[in-house]
Amino acid sequence: RQSLVERRFILHYQPQVDARGQLIGAEALVRWQHPTRGLVSPASFIPLAESSGLILHLGRLILHSACEQLVAWAQDPQLKQLTLAVNVSARQFHHPDFVADVCAALAESGADPRRLELELTESQLVEDVENLISKMSQLKAHGIHLALDDFGTGYSSLSYLKRLPLDQLKIDQSFVHDLLEQPSNAAIVRTILALGDNLGLSVTAEGVETQAQFEALQQMGCRRFQGYLFAKPGPASALAQWPATG
Ligand code: C2E
Ligand code: MG
Ligand code: MG
């Protein structure tokens, strides 16, 4: 609570690249600048923020900073085309004010909704389908893009998936990690790419760490990539040095 007041939560950005390795967007990843523990990873405080309800406040702060970053990029001819992906937690998404909160962040900052992408996870999509689709459609009507994060690790059924107004699937990094060692993972990656193709969704491979993985993914038809091979998440200033697709 104290850290929220003291604005100790900051966003790092991880580049997303195309097959030529050129910058097409970034994902915002929150970090906690803890007074004694240093930079704390979201994996260790997001679950706590969720269970305590603080995620609502934190989530709004994250959306606001992300939108401000989009506005800063819009001033730069090299960066104005970039999309920015923001992770949304289940509790935040299911809050009745969520759509209004996103719209407020966009309106107050002046950010272009078409550059904003919200990342949802499969587990948060299991509740009340009609309500879910209506909420997603409202966001889409504003021009916001929607991605399904960590795809393949949850329980979404395919008949369900085709009803959701999504734009993108993100292949979970666990499949990418053992892509070259485990034929079953390669088969899963191929299947997700084919599924994306058939449903008209773009597909991003997450957790690409080696050139060999990058090449194998390209051969399978993947066109969007994110991972340590290209860059680790870092402050916004680090992104400005990237060659971007014009
Ligand atoms: P995620 O959304 O799936 O984000 C990708 C995670 O993988 C990030 O960890 C990123 O640093 C890491 N990563 C990226 N490339 C590689 C790679 O090549 N190899 C490996 N081993 N890891 C890679 P991070 O930043 O620790 O975030 C962990 C999770 O915390 C995120 O997973 C997301 O679910 C959650 N999270 C992060 N920021 C936010 C946020 O602002 N709001 C919410 N609700 N959740 C967030
Ligand atoms: Mg994500
Ligand atoms: Mg992920």
Side-chain angles (χ1 to χ4, degrees):
R1 273 173 218 282
Q2 190 64 32
S3 287
L4 273 169
V5 176
E6 291 171 359
R7 301 207 155 241
R8 288 185 174 274
F9 293 93
I10 56 157
L11 291 183
H12 274 181
Y13 299 87
Q14 185 175 35
Q16 298 176 327
V17 303
D18 65 12
R20 291 178 297 160
Q22 292 205 294
L23 190 63
I24 49 176
E27 177 174 3
L29 294 155
V30 68
R31 272 93 183 90
W32 182 7
Q33 287 184 306
H34 193 278
T36 54
R37 280 185 246 167
L39 219 53
V40 181
S41 137
S44 48
F45 65 83
I46 291 286
L48 192 64
E50 278 237 313
S51 60
S52 63
L54 284 176
I55 193 70
L56 297 173
H57 187 169
L58 180 59
R60 277 187 209 110
L61 280 180
I62 291 167
L63 274 167
H64 276 267
S65 340
C67 287
E68 276 162 20
Q69 191 58 58
L70 274 174
V71 171
W73 288 344
Q75 325 290 318
D76 184 331
Q78 287 288 316
L79 304 172
K80 66 177 189 199
Q81 301 294 335
L82 300 186
T83 55
L84 181 54
V86 175
N87 294 282
V88 174
S89 81
R91 185 145 178 197
Q92 192 186 357
F93 184 81
H94 290 298
H95 193 278
D97 293 343
F98 181 66
V99 176
D101 282 348
V102 176
C103 292
L106 286 163
E108 284 161 25
S109 60
D112 182 350
R114 294 166 303 175
R115 301 278 161 236
L116 181 66
E117 185 170 86
L118 299 178
E119 292 194 2
L120 315 171
T121 52
E122 283 171 272
S123 55
Q124 74 198 64
L125 303 184
V126 292
E127 286 171 48
D128 182 5
V129 197
E130 299 312 323
N131 181 39
L132 172 72
I133 293 176
S134 139
K135 213 166 213 181
M136 290 174 80
S137 305
Q138 288 173 51
L139 293 163
K140 293 226 27 147
H142 286 96
I144 297 159
H145 288 102
L146 299 173
L148 196 48
D149 203 0
D150 306 338
F151 185 68
T153 58
Y155 299 94
S156 37
S157 78
L158 300 181
S159 61
Y160 185 62
L161 192 66
K162 75 168 186 200
R163 293 189 57 201
L164 302 180
L166 286 165
D167 299 284
Q168 190 177 156
L169 302 175
K170 295 188 79 178
I171 305 176
D172 188 66
Q173 45 184 279
S174 60
F175 303 118
V176 174
H177 189 258
D178 294 330
L179 180 72
L180 300 160
E181 292 79 24
Q182 292 216 4
S184 57
N185 277 354
I188 290 170
V189 169
R190 271 199 201 88
T191 305
I192 297 176
L193 285 162
L195 183 69
D197 215 21
N198 291 327
L199 293 178
L201 306 173
S202 60
V203 180
T204 299
E206 279 199 279
V208 182
E209 292 185 352
T210 67
Q211 184 67 28
Q213 288 168 349
F214 182 36
E215 282 166 17
L217 285 160
Q218 286 190 62
Q219 274 167 15
M220 293 176 183
C222 190
R223 296 286 170 264
R224 302 173 61 99
F225 312 85
Q226 188 181 335
Y228 294 168
L229 175 65
F230 313 102
K232 291 197 170 180
S237 55
L239 264 160
Q241 288 142 26
W242 272 74
T245 30

